[in-house]
């Protein structure tokens, strides 16, 4: 029953949001198409913007519709009247968001890398930096999602999102100016040194730890409503 | 109460910054309807949410259908149908979508009964929730709660905001649900008419405290309004059951709880003559109780 109800909540959220997920996926595919089929840096940039927009769009849509609006509109009371506890509710909400966002992120990141390096849009030396940029999205999304689940507040989530957009930009600037990273970005060979690996591992770990901490904090909450 | 208990709460306390639920004891025997009546902010919803395991009491024990809450809420909620005034279905989805969703979770889902309710409530399963009126939304939620055939129905202000026709339909269906004699209903309302119409037991709550809980008939039998004539302005005897006194010249109106003949004798021997003795409606009893509780608290 425990796993079944979580699975049912996840599939319910997927079913309810299937049209927006599909539309964002189409935008992403169109972005890949633009970047791949139309030659030139301008088209590539437009394509990547569409890709990034699709990833951000699907993430924010899922977060808003499965967590924030659930609370705002009172749907969570309906869900919590079903045979499940708060832990299962939290796990279901985290899972559906992470599954959709990470799947989209993985597919689109792969497409992005393939298009970029098969067409020679950027030199091979920029591959580690691009991977770090793409991986930096994961902890940012985890943090946004966690904030929305923990506070159930649109206000706090928006403040977190805006703050993270500034912090992430500053963080990426900081990375690119690291000697062991920036020196190789425009080179013809990808350099995978300890700094690059450390940064990537920290990003992945942070993206993993934040949802785990969210679950722990949620489990300690007494009142659902 | 000797029948098995559908609900047994003892010494429930819950503290919020501006509100406190204090030492609430509440029990419902199987096959009965309990109306939880109180003004807005009295603590009705908090009690029902504690019963559903959605809010954890600071102290006290809660047993629902034999399950301890909130620990055993997953098992308990398989047999509880819950409706709350602020509960909403998925706006972008149809009634049929919700029926399928609930059906996939509850083995006890009764398709035939669900379609009977659809017809009875004049709902179309293809209707999207966002297109439903408030009354239709309440009926759709009621359908989803009833068709899973739960042993206990917990309704938080189910009739609030409904027009008289929809209100009657909802109350009628609540009563129909009791055809199975083991099924029980606990519902909250600030409308005493609803409670008077369908309850077997009534509990009055005010400012986080239960002020009276009894069999409905006992309630109605126990309260009297005595219109007395006090020709010589004699002082009223100290009768503990008097809840309210209104004087106007020689006329004195006394509201009494737990009325019995001894009270009448005491008043007569104090030099008062009785003009009329009237029964009170549940609403009058409720208002009198609230007024008395306010006076006691202040």
């Amino acid at each position: 029953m425990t796993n079944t109800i979580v699975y049912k909540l996840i599939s319910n959220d997927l079913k309810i949001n299937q049209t927006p997920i599909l539309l964002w996926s189409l935008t992403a595919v169109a972005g890949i198409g633009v970047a791949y089929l139309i030659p030139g840096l301008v088209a590539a940039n437009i394509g990547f913007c569409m890709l990034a927009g699709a990833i951000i769009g699907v993430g924010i849509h899922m977060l808003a519709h499965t967590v924030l609006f659930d609370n705002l509109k009172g749907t969570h009371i309906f869900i919590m009247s079903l045979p499940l506890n708060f832990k299962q509710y939290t796990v279901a909400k985290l899972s559906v968001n992470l599954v959709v966002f990470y799947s989209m992120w993985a597919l689109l990141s792969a497409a992005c890398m393939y298009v970029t390096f098969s067409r020679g849009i950027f030199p091979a030396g920029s591959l580690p930096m691009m991977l770090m940029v793409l991986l930096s999205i994961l902890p940012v999304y985890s943090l946004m999602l966690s904030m929305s689940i923990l506070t159930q507040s649109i206000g706090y989530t928006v403040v977190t999102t805006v703050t993270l957009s500034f912090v992430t930009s500053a963080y990426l600037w900081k990375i690119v100016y690291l000697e062991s990273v920036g020196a190789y970005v425009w080179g013809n060979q990808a350099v995978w040194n300890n700094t690059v690996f450390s940064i990537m591992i920290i990003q992945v770990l942070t993206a993993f730890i934040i949802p785990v901490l969210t679950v722990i904090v949620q489990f300690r909450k007494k009142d659902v409503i | 109460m000797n029948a098995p208990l559908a609900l047994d709460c003892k010494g429930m306390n819950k503290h919020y910054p501006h509100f406190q639920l204090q030492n609430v004891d509440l029990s419902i025997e199987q096959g009965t309807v309990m109306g939880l009546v109180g003004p807005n902010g009295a603590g009705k919803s908090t009690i029902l949410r504690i019963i559903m395991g959605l809010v954890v009491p600071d102290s006290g024990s809660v047993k629902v259908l034999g399950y301890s809450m909130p620990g055993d809420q997953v098992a308990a909620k398989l047999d509880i149908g819950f409706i709350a005034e602020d509960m909403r279905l998925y706006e972008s989805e149809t009634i049929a979508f919700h029926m399928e969703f609930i059906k996939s979770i509850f083995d006890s889902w009764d398709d035939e009964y669900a379609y009977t309710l659809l017809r009875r409530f004049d709902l179309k399963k293809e209707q999207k929730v966002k297109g439903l009126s408030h009354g239709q939304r309440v009926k759709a939620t009621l359908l989803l709660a009833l068709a899973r055939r739960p042993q206990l129905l917990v309704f938080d202000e189910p009739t609030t905001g409904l027009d008289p026709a929809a209100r009657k339909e909802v109350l009628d269906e609540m009563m129909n649900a009791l055809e199975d004699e083991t099924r029980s209903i606990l519902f909250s309302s600030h409308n005493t008419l609803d409670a008077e119409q369908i309850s077997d037991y009534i509990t009055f709550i005010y400012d986080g405290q239960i002020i009276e809980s009894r069999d409905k008939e006992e309630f109605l039998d126990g309260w009297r309004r005595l219109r007395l004539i006090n020709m010589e302005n004699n002082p009223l005897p100290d009768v503990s059951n008097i809840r309210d006194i209104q004087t106007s010249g020689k006329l004195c109106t006394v509201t009494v709880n737990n009325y019995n003949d001894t009270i009448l004798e005491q008043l007569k021997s104090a030099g008062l003559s009785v003009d009329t003795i009237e029964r009170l409606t549940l609403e009058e009893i409720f208002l009198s109780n609230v007024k008395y509780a306010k006076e006691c608290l202040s």
Side-chain angles (χ1 to χ4, degrees), chain B residues 4-168:
Chain B
L5 295 177
L7 172 71
D8 190 17
C9 305
K10 287 195 178 83
M12 279 195 308
N13 285 285
K14 180 73 187 176
H15 180 80
Y16 290 108
H18 303 289
F19 172 76
Q20 203 169 352
L21 201 64
Q22 295 167 68
N23 213 24
V24 170
D25 293 332
L26 194 66
S27 55
I28 306 173
E29 59 184 47
Q30 277 183 12
T32 62
V33 182
M34 162 83 79
L36 193 59
V37 182
N40 293 330
K44 305 184 294 292
S45 297
T46 305
I47 291 176
L48 298 190
R49 286 171 180 190
I50 289 175
I51 287 167
M52 286 302 294
L54 306 179
V55 170
V56 180
D58 297 332
S59 59
S61 70
V62 183
K63 283 214 162 205
V64 184
L65 302 169
Y67 295 103
S68 285
M69 299 296 256
D72 298 335
Q73 64 175 295
V74 176
K77 287 196 281 192
L78 278 169
D79 262 329
I80 307 174
F82 178 60
I83 294 182
E85 191 198 359
D86 49 358
M87 176 192 277
R88 296 288 180 272
L89 304 175
Y90 292 105
E91 279 187 353
S92 57
E93 301 302 327
T94 61
I95 296 174
F97 172 91
H98 288 87
M99 288 166 69
E100 282 304 313
F101 178 50
I102 298 294
K103 185 180 173 180
S104 75
I105 294 171
F106 291 90
D107 294 336
S108 54
W109 178 265
D110 185 339
D111 242 344
E112 201 181 319
Y113 184 37
Y115 281 93
T116 306
L117 288 173
L118 262 181
R119 281 190 299 275
R120 225 179 266 173
F121 287 153
D122 204 18
L123 295 169
K124 308 245 179 323
K125 66 174 185 167
E126 301 79 16
Q127 283 177 289
K128 284 199 170 179
V129 171
K130 66 180 164 197
L132 299 177
S133 67
H134 173 65
Q136 286 175 315
R137 252 180 250 176
V138 171
K139 285 189 257 184
T141 316
L142 184 63
L143 179 155
L144 296 170
L146 291 176
R148 67 177 87 150
R149 298 277 190 196
Q151 282 303 297
L152 174 66
L153 292 161
V154 178
F155 295 158
D156 188 8
E157 306 269 2
T159 57
T160 300
L162 296 183
D163 64 61
R167 191 172 142 261
K168 186 177 181 317

Side-chain angles (χ1 to χ4, degrees), chain A residues 167-179:
Chain A
V167 171
T168 310
S169 301
Y171 164 76
L172 292 173
W173 273 110
K174 179 76 185 162
I175 286 178
V176 86
Y177 278 105
L178 287 175
E179 181 62 28

